[in-house]
């Protein structure tokens, strides 16, 4: 059989065209496969980057929380020290704190005499803690550790976080002026006592973990 070149072209030309088409098809398929692989790798890389960012953010948040807690603890300790020193200075030569009168009078007395930093004063009679809860300074109304009513004063901090409670109690373990401290409704802890009610690290942890937040009462002479 004779094949007409004009009608069908040469057999070699037809074969070449078929080969080129096959190669083009393979190239397109290969490109799609490579493209899919590249997309897959990109997704894996993005996932890894996001995971690393998440870990870094978690670490930063943890460090920030630790630093913020330490700052609150230090500011609360300093404020308590100022309140104790201020109250004592107002009653030099007298330990009859009850003579001041009402329960808000000591707060007002401390505020009026500039014994409280202005950033912790919320009104004429209200003192706030560094974590924005109420602080009151009042004369004792009952005997505490053998000291008669009115001869000592109490600083009460409401809704204190557990870490603040631990920090304040630990601070008072070596204090020479504190008579007793109390967390929540539990028994008073005193550096003058021995046994289970003594002001020591184990008992501090037990008392401070009773509730979160917790009310702290410190009695000073």
């Amino acid at each position: 059989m004779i094949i007409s070149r004009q009608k069908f072209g040469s057999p070699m030309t037809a074969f070449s065209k078929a080969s080129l088409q096959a190669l083009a098809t393979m190239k397109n398929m290969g490109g799609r496969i490579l493209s899919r692989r590249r997309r897959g790798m990109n997704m894996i890389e993005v996932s890894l980057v996001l995971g690393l960012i998440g870990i870094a953010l978690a670490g930063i948040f943890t460090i920030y929380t630790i630093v913020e807690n330490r700052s609150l603890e230090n500011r609360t300790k300093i404020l308590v020290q100022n309140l104790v020193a201020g109250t004592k200075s107002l009653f030099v030569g007298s330990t009859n704190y009850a003579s001041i009168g009402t329960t808000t009078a000591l707060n007002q007395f401390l505020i009026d005499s500039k014994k409280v930093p202005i950033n912790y004063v919320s009104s004429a009679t209200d003192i706030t803690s560094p974590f924005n809860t109420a602080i009151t300074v009042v004369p004792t109304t009952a005997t505490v550790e053998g000291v008669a009513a009115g001869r000592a004063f109490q600083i009460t901090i409401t809704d204190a976080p557990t870490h603040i409670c631990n920090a304040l109690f630990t601070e008072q373990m070596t204090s020479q002026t504190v008579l007793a401290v109390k967390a929540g409704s539990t028994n008073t802890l005193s550096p003058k006592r021995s046994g289970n009610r003594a002001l020591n690290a184990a008992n501090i942890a037990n008392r401070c973990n009773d509730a979160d937040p917790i009310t702290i009462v410190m009695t000073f002479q």
Side-chain angles (χ1 to χ4, degrees):
M1 180 177 67
I2 299 173
I3 300 174
S4 172
R5 179 174 296 181
Q6 288 80 8
K7 187 173 182 180
F8 297 101
S10 68
M12 184 61 70
T13 302
F15 176 77
S16 298
K17 288 181 178 179
S19 298
L20 290 172
Q21 289 175 352
L23 288 172
T25 301
M26 291 176 65
K27 183 178 179 181
N28 290 336
M29 290 179 64
R32 286 196 294 271
I33 292 171
L34 286 173
S35 177
R36 287 174 185 167
R37 286 181 178 174
R38 285 173 185 157
R39 284 200 298 271
M41 289 297 293
N42 286 339
M43 290 300 294
I44 292 172
E45 290 169 358
V46 168
S47 298
L48 287 173
V49 170
L50 290 176
L52 291 173
I53 291 173
I55 293 171
L57 289 175
I60 292 171
F61 179 76
T62 300
I63 293 171
Y64 171 80
T65 301
I66 292 172
V67 171
E68 180 66 14
N69 285 348
R70 293 293 179 272
S71 175
L72 284 175
E73 290 166 11
N74 290 332
R75 282 184 283 158
T76 305
K77 288 179 184 178
I78 292 170
L79 178 58
V80 169
Q81 291 169 2
N82 288 342
L83 292 176
V84 172
T87 303
K88 287 178 174 293
S89 69
L90 293 173
F91 288 86
V92 174
S94 172
T95 56
N96 186 12
Y97 300 103
S99 63
I100 199 66
T102 64
T103 55
T104 59
L106 263 179
N107 271 25
Q108 184 173 356
F109 210 30
L110 288 166
I111 292 170
D112 290 345
S113 58
K114 310 299 182 185
K115 302 296 183 181
V116 183
I118 190 65
N119 51 314
Y120 299 128
V121 177
S122 57
S123 74
T125 59
D126 293 325
I127 302 172
T128 57
S129 69
F131 41 94
N132 297 319
T133 64
I135 294 181
T136 56
V137 186
V138 297
T140 54
T141 57
T143 300
V144 178
E145 295 298 317
V147 178
R151 298 291 180 176
F153 62 94
Q154 292 178 328
I155 297 176
T156 301
I157 304 177
T158 59
D159 295 332
T162 297
H163 69 94
I164 296 289
C165 179
N166 278 286
L168 284 176
F169 273 37
T170 303
E171 177 87 356
Q172 300 307 329
M173 283 176 67
T174 56
S175 173
Q176 298 300 313
T177 58
V178 66
L179 290 173
V181 289
K182 183 173 73 171
S185 59
T186 58
N187 291 333
T188 299
L189 302 174
S190 171
K192 294 184 177 181
R193 290 183 180 155
S194 60
N196 292 333
R197 300 179 73 188
L199 189 60
N200 57 56
N203 287 328
I204 287 171
N206 289 336
R207 298 300 190 270
C208 289
N209 290 329
D210 279 350
D212 188 11
I214 196 165
T215 296
I216 305 168
V217 180
M218 293 167 285
T219 306
F220 299 89
Q221 187 175 11

